Amino acid sequence: MTGETIELIVLSTTKVGENALVVHTLSREWGRRGFLVRSGKKAGMSRFLPLNILEAEVVENPKSELWSIRNIGLKDGLSGIRENLYKNSMTLFLSEVLLRTLKDGANEDGLFEWCVGEILTLNALESDFSNFSVRFLLDFAGILGFRPTLQDVAPFAGEYLNHLKPFLVSRFEECMLLPLTGETRNDLCDVLLRYLSYHTDTNIQVKSLQVLRELYR
């Protein structure tokens, strides 16, 4: 049965054979879910970059839980992200966090809308976005229902507690201007990933954090 056109956020892709891939997505309707895409041409792969927002038609498969999507188009070109090496690398990290944290079928109320807002905000920022990943992790914890207080995060933060404190009490714009070294910023991401792992009972191993470590030294 063919469904209506919906919006999906790309989290990652897995190649299946020579002419297909599974696109792991987040949507308002289905939460986190993988969809099969027939893809014989490499030229179309740019549609599936991490955190791209797609519009696509869902095609149900009565013989399998793995449904397909077709008539796929980009909702927004995200030129502010795609033309910036640092933002592009950040989307690798943010999408992997979502992929590793959210289980198949997970569909927290408001999660999709929040993610779209975060993507469009990162796309629009022209400068002072290096702290975005730290604020993203804090707000993500809040969407999942356990935004930390200073006391909550203290057991995970150690020597970085004073660096994290301003992020807990400041407005977004102020957080983007907090002076941090690249090393400290990445260590704060480590702290918050440990906090997320504890509260989701998931061992969140995010390989792309190393990419940020190389770029934001």
Side-chain angles (χ1 to χ4, degrees):
M1 182 174 66
T2 300
E4 62 182 341
T5 298
I6 65 171
E7 295 180 11
L8 309 113
I9 297 170
V10 177
L11 303 183
S12 74
T13 59
T14 303
K15 191 169 177 58
V16 181
E18 292 298 318
N19 299 310
L21 67 157
V22 174
V23 182
H24 304 280
T25 70
L26 179 68
S27 67
R28 182 184 298 105
E29 291 80 1
W30 305 106
R32 187 197 147 181
R33 183 171 184 143
F35 292 95
L36 185 68
V37 175
R38 303 293 176 184
S39 179
K41 297 180 180 180
K42 292 184 179 180
M45 289 301 294
S46 62
R47 294 174 296 174
F48 307 118
L49 291 172
L51 297 190
N52 268 356
I53 305 170
L54 307 177
E55 289 184 318
E57 185 180 357
V58 176
V59 182
E60 300 179 31
N61 184 345
K63 297 181 180 180
S64 171
E65 293 184 359
L66 182 58
W67 298 352
S68 301
I69 51 175
R70 66 185 184 187
N71 298 327
I72 303 165
L74 282 174
K75 176 75 172 177
D76 190 306
L78 301 180
S79 60
I81 290 175
R82 301 307 170 206
E83 296 172 6
N84 186 294
L85 172 64
Y86 295 94
K87 288 186 182 181
N88 243 337
S89 300
M90 197 176 287
T91 64
L92 291 175
F93 171 70
L94 302 180
S95 62
E96 190 177 357
V97 168
L98 293 170
L99 182 73
R100 304 295 179 201
T101 306
L102 301 172
K103 296 178 173 60
D104 280 337
N107 199 5
E108 300 289 339
D109 186 39
L111 175 61
F112 176 80
E113 289 79 6
W114 173 78
C115 285
V116 169
E118 292 292 292
I119 295 166
L120 296 180
T121 297
L122 179 60
N123 185 62
L125 289 173
E126 296 182 358
S127 61
D128 300 320
F129 54 80
S130 296
N131 293 341
F132 187 88
S133 54
V134 179
R135 180 63 185 240
F136 178 96
L137 293 176
L138 275 172
D139 290 345
F140 181 42
I143 285 291
L144 296 180
F146 41 83
R147 184 178 182 86
T149 63
L150 195 63
Q151 184 177 6
D152 293 332
V153 80
F156 305 89
E159 63 184 290
Y160 296 102
L161 187 60
N162 286 335
H163 290 292
L164 194 55
K165 183 178 179 179
F167 284 93
L168 297 172
V169 298
S170 303
R171 294 182 295 110
F172 176 86
E173 295 81 1
E174 296 168 335
C175 289
M176 295 302 100
L177 297 175
L178 292 171
L180 294 175
T181 66
E183 182 179 4
T184 298
R185 188 181 299 113
N186 292 322
D187 288 338
L188 290 180
C189 286
D190 266 334
V191 166
L192 293 172
L193 286 174
R194 290 197 298 271
Y195 178 83
L196 282 165
S197 293
Y198 175 80
H199 282 278
T200 59
D201 195 25
T202 304
N203 184 18
I204 304 172
Q205 298 291 330
V206 181
K207 297 178 182 178
S208 54
L209 181 57
Q210 185 58 37
V211 177
L212 294 189
R213 290 190 182 282
E214 293 299 320
L215 283 174
Y216 293 96
R217 290 185 175 181

